[in-house]
Amino acid sequence: MAKVKTHQGTAKRISVSSRGKMMRGKQMAGHLKVGKRPRRLRRLAQRTGVSRVDERRIARLLPYRYK
């Protein structure tokens, strides 16, 4: 039987917390930072949990990272 391949684009963007929760970066933090307030940029720099709706879809793209 063939091996299941990990989706590398997803693997670079999703990490696992110490409790096994999927974590992702926030949008709107990539560029045009001059116009954003420092408090907003600090919050955008933090990672946040993946939506429960998307967890199953992401787990399928990363077969060896999640059980």
Side-chain angles (χ1 to χ4, degrees):
M1 191 167 166
K3 292 181 182 178
V4 182
K5 291 190 176 181
T6 297
H7 189 274
Q8 289 301 311
T10 306
K12 292 171 188 175
R13 289 167 172 83
I14 304 292
S15 61
V16 186
S17 70
S18 58
R19 293 186 172 200
K21 214 174 152 183
M22 292 185 209
M23 303 299 283
R24 64 170 176 82
K26 293 183 182 175
Q27 63 182 14
M28 301 296 289
H31 59 96
L32 299 176
K33 294 183 180 186
V34 175
K36 295 178 180 124
R37 300 289 104 198
R39 177 180 172 183
R40 183 177 173 193
L41 289 172
R42 283 195 302 272
R43 289 177 189 240
L44 289 172
Q46 295 173 353
R47 297 185 65 76
T48 186
V50 170
S51 169
R52 308 258 290 137
V53 178
D54 296 326
E55 280 183 5
R56 212 167 110 200
R57 182 171 53 89
I58 292 171
R60 198 176 305 133
L61 293 171
L62 305 171
Y64 300 107
R65 191 170 291 195
Y66 308 104
K67 294 174 183 162

